[in-house]
Amino acid sequence: LKLTTIPLRRALSRSMLSGDSLRRSFRHAVVESSSLPPAERLIMYDACDSQEVSQSLGGSAGYRKRLDARRGNKPKKADNQRDVCTPFDHAAFNFSKISNQREILAVLPEYNILTNRFPLFPGHCLLTAKALVPQQLSATHLSAIVRLVSHSGFSAYFNSWCASASVNHFHCHLIDELPPVAQQRLVSGPRVLGEPTLRPAESSGSCYVFGASQLGLVGRAVSAMQAENQPHNLLFTPLHIYVWPKPLQRPARSFDLYPETVGGPELVGSFTVYTERDFAKLSAAAADELVRINTAPLPERLLSGGDDTRPATAPAAVEAASSSSDESDSEAGPPPKQPRTAVRACQSLDSLSLVKLLRSGSGLDELTLPLALSKSCLNRSGGLEVS
């Protein structure tokens, strides 16, 4: 398949963008890869094929466990992560160095959507930044994820550095399902900077759930965690954003209960193991304990209702990541005279700015796909089929 891209801007209105084209692209890559030797595959296997063993863990949380030995062949990440805001390392692997350009499922002005060679979920792929920036959320990244999720119907989860991320180049995981934690009922949660939040009723850990209109508050919470070197995982659904602050060190007890790092996949409710022994051992009680001991409260200054605008003490990498802006940042006003910290960048993205972003179609109307796939996604009137 020759990767020839065409702009969809002329064919599509912003309101017509959906996840149907991405689903088709993903399915095509799975089918194509199935006939290739492992070294040439875009996707090693379909996470939801006949070889997957999946079972509900029972209990009120609705978590599940999966047995998939194939995932165990994924290269292990180095266990040398110490700082959430570790600077970008040009010598290390990043997503601009992928060996096969056919791994690109779709192209956005500031991001690519890539295949995930070792998927854990239906339609599991990666949203990656074209800019060479570290694995740190900024106002720009937050708004891009929210917009993509709202238009595609996918969910997305983010692992910070020190919280299960294996590549220090900005990316988040797109999955074509509403994961188990997002199917729990929501109840009143702690107030963050004086604003109400929700929490999953059956979750045993520290989880803060924000409405999509609270994106500015989410940014302030993320900035505070970055400044205090607190790892974090997030889940984005079309309606809510889930935030799990974490302890810097993985509790020793966690290794006794589960052989893998507890990150985004586990916190959204899916625990994958590679041996039948570990599969049989994993219980609902163990999953509940894993979520509880691998999460932690937000920084106290956010929960006390105090002012979070004091100067952050985060490394310079935070400022570098959040100072790379696009039109969404400029709408909130002129840049400050001093270099912006992550706190200031995220504070500028209030709910009104988010509404403007969602209505503007910033960037996503320029989605491009492989030519052979794009044609199959167009209906007779020239618009994208809406799922």
Side-chain angles (χ1 to χ4, degrees), residues 76-286:
K76 300 295 183 181
K77 66 178 184 293
D79 187 22
N80 59 353
Q81 300 179 11
R82 298 292 180 267
D83 297 314
V84 171
C85 291
T86 296
F88 184 85
D89 181 2
H90 289 267
F93 173 80
N94 65 71
F95 295 109
S96 72
K97 298 181 180 181
I98 59 174
S99 59
N100 189 344
Q101 292 300 304
R102 292 164 69 188
E103 294 178 35
I104 301 175
L105 293 177
V107 179
L108 305 172
E110 304 298 332
Y111 301 87
N112 289 324
I113 298 178
L114 306 183
T115 60
N116 184 343
R117 297 191 72 216
F118 296 89
L120 288 167
F121 297 91
H124 192 171
C125 48
L126 302 175
L127 178 71
T128 67
K130 292 181 180 178
L132 300 182
V133 293
Q135 181 67 349
Q136 298 165 31
L137 281 168
S138 66
T140 298
H141 296 324
L142 281 169
S143 62
I145 297 169
V146 167
R147 179 163 170 75
L148 181 56
V149 165
S150 69
H151 278 70
S152 67
F154 278 59
S155 299
Y157 68 86
F158 172 82
N159 300 322
S160 79
W161 204 237
C162 304
S164 295
S166 58
V167 178
N168 191 22
H169 179 191
F170 179 80
H171 65 285
C172 73
H173 297 253
L174 302 176
I175 59 175
D176 194 13
E177 74 162 301
L178 191 67
V181 73
Q183 299 180 41
Q184 294 184 26
R185 63 190 178 92
L186 296 173
V187 297
S188 181
R191 299 185 77 85
V192 175
L193 289 175
E195 294 192 33
T197 69
L198 301 169
R199 63 178 180 84
E202 311 302 336
S203 178
S204 59
S206 295
C207 180
Y208 304 81
V209 183
F210 302 82
S213 64
Q214 294 178 296
L215 185 57
L217 182 59
V218 174
R220 295 163 76 178
V222 169
S223 297
M225 291 186 289
Q226 291 173 339
E228 299 194 13
N229 199 33
Q230 182 172 34
H232 43 279
N233 302 98
L234 282 78
L235 169 67
F236 300 80
T237 73
L239 294 179
H240 295 100
I241 302 169
Y242 296 66
V243 177
W244 289 274
K246 304 187 74 174
L248 182 59
Q249 299 295 329
R250 181 184 183 187
R253 168 68 173 160
S254 189
F255 291 94
D256 298 331
L257 298 170
Y258 186 62
E260 300 301 313
T261 301
V262 174
E266 291 77 18
L267 294 176
V268 306
S270 186
F271 294 78
T272 299
V273 294
Y274 314 134
T275 69
E276 293 185 2
R277 178 179 178 274
D278 289 331
F279 186 78
K281 177 183 175 182
L282 189 58
S283 66

Side-chain angles (χ1 to χ4, degrees), residues 19-30 43 104-106 115 369-370 373-374 377:
D20 188 56
S21 58
L22 186 54
R23 295 182 183 97
R24 290 174 186 264
S25 298
F26 180 87
R27 176 51 48 191
H28 183 94
V30 169
I43 301 174
I104 301 175
L105 293 177
T115 60
L369 297 167
L373 304 181
S374 298
C377 298

